[in-house]
Amino acid sequence: MDKITIKDDFIKLGQAMKLAGLVDEGVEAKIAIQNGEVAVNGETETRRGRKLTDGDVFSFDGKDVVVTRVEV
């Protein structure tokens, strides 16, 4: 399982997908999310603005990524 690290309380799903390298541009994330190709914590997610927090796991294209928050 891959991991991304955030400094804020949350990251939006579309931004997280870009940070994880699963998509190159936001529009790719938008299309994948709207088409129901992305899951958050095991459930299909269709909101690009879904806020992910520490411990959330999102999945796309056979890859799972966990969000971790680092204290600054």
Side-chain angles (χ1 to χ4, degrees), residues 3-67:
K3 176 173 77 169
I4 60 169
T5 304
I6 59 173
K7 296 178 184 175
D8 297 317
D9 290 335
F10 67 87
I11 186 169
K12 292 183 179 178
L13 179 56
Q15 295 170 328
M17 290 177 69
K18 284 176 52 178
L19 182 62
L22 299 179
V23 295
D24 292 326
E25 298 184 13
V27 69
E28 291 177 61
K30 177 182 177 181
I31 292 168
I33 294 166
Q34 287 178 341
N35 288 340
E37 300 172 20
V38 181
V40 175
N41 298 327
E43 296 186 14
T44 301
E45 182 57 68
T46 57
R47 298 171 293 164
R48 179 173 59 159
R50 163 76 186 261
K51 294 178 180 176
L52 304 177
T53 59
D54 188 48
D56 283 337
V57 176
F58 62 96
S59 307
F60 173 67
D61 199 25
K63 296 184 180 173
D64 296 330
V65 181
V66 65
V67 177

